[in-house]
Amino acid sequence: MGNASKRALYPGTFDPVTLGHLDLIRRGCDLFGKLAVAVAENASKDPVFTAEERVGMLRAETKGLPVEVDSFRGLVVDYCRRRGYGVILRGLRTVSDFEFEFQMALTNRALAGDVETVFVMAHEKYAYLSSRLIKEVLASGGDVGGFLTPGVARALRDRLEEMERSAGGTRPPSKT
Ligand code: ADP
């Protein structure tokens, strides 16, 4: 029998949160009534923002939505069990996302058969958006206004400039 009251978790790196993530969060809220969002702390991705900063940005950008934001270390399925989440929500943008997500969902199922992964297709407006590409565009002086909220765009521009300065770079400050 189905269980419509399963609580859902949307985990990710969110370095930083993009308009694509926010669209998925909104749709997750519609599907599940409310949504937990969790920043993975131990991402092997060398993030630009600390987990606390990523949590802070997500909280600011989801104000007014039935969303709780937190961070976690270790396996997402362990976090789900500790907190009682029965659903992992993930987004699919491309066929290459599918490959990786399929592998991860099956691994998570092998680890925790009681936690179901649910996929939502990216909105076509945001299907090409990734935090990684946005950072590259901004670092090269491109305009990321259509990809991020103004607050996140500002924070990212400031952080990339800081990193550039401390690395002794000579690139001029980028514009948004
Ligand atoms: P991770 O390192 O866990 O992949 P990300 O922050 O890159 O973390 O992505 C978290 C989830 O959000 C993933 O399921 C990813 O496919 C999805 N996602 C990322 N960008 C978008 C987007 N533009 N539209 C829809 N889903 C997205």
Side-chain angles (χ1 to χ4, degrees):
M1 205 174 61
N3 180 355
S5 64
K6 272 196 178 171
R7 294 165 63 216
L9 172 74
Y10 178 34
T13 310
F14 304 111
D15 187 47
V17 59
T18 69
L19 295 184
H21 293 131
L22 290 172
D23 177 61
L24 213 78
I25 288 172
R26 255 176 244 113
R27 288 155 66 201
C29 288
D30 284 347
L31 278 173
F32 297 102
K34 61 183 178 176
L35 189 67
V37 178
V39 168
E41 282 188 39
N42 52 348
S44 52
K45 293 191 170 175
D46 201 11
V48 162
F49 291 103
T50 66
E52 295 73 47
E53 289 170 329
R54 286 177 274 151
V55 167
M57 282 188 266
L58 276 161
R59 285 197 179 131
E61 300 303 338
T62 57
K63 242 183 217 133
L65 291 174
V67 167
E68 257 178 40
V69 186
D70 212 338
S71 62
F72 71 101
R73 283 169 198 272
L75 292 176
V76 68
V77 286
D78 288 342
Y79 182 71
C80 286
R81 283 197 168 140
R82 273 204 310 280
R83 298 290 186 95
Y85 300 121
V87 172
I88 296 173
L89 176 69
R90 298 284 292 179
L92 285 179
R93 285 162 293 186
T94 57
V95 177
S96 54
D97 262 359
F98 176 81
E99 179 96 40
F100 172 71
E101 295 287 343
F102 185 58
Q103 245 181 351
M104 198 156 63
L106 291 186
T107 306
N108 284 336
R109 179 183 292 165
L111 293 170
D114 50 334
V115 180
E116 193 70 70
T117 304
V118 170
F119 293 103
V120 168
M121 296 302 281
H123 193 290
E124 60 274 17
K125 257 182 9 201
Y126 305 123
Y128 60 95
L129 282 192
S130 78
S131 301
R132 184 182 58 79
L133 271 180
I134 291 172
K135 284 181 278 197
E136 283 176 22
V137 170
L138 191 52
S140 303
D143 179 3
V144 296
F147 311 153
L148 302 172
T149 64
V152 173
R154 206 175 313 116
L156 182 59
R157 195 186 48 224
D158 290 351
R159 176 57 48 89
L160 292 178
E161 284 177 11
E162 240 171 67
M163 289 166 65
E164 182 94 5
R165 270 199 305 277
S166 62
T170 52
R171 226 181 261 145
S174 51
K175 297 184 201 79
T176 39

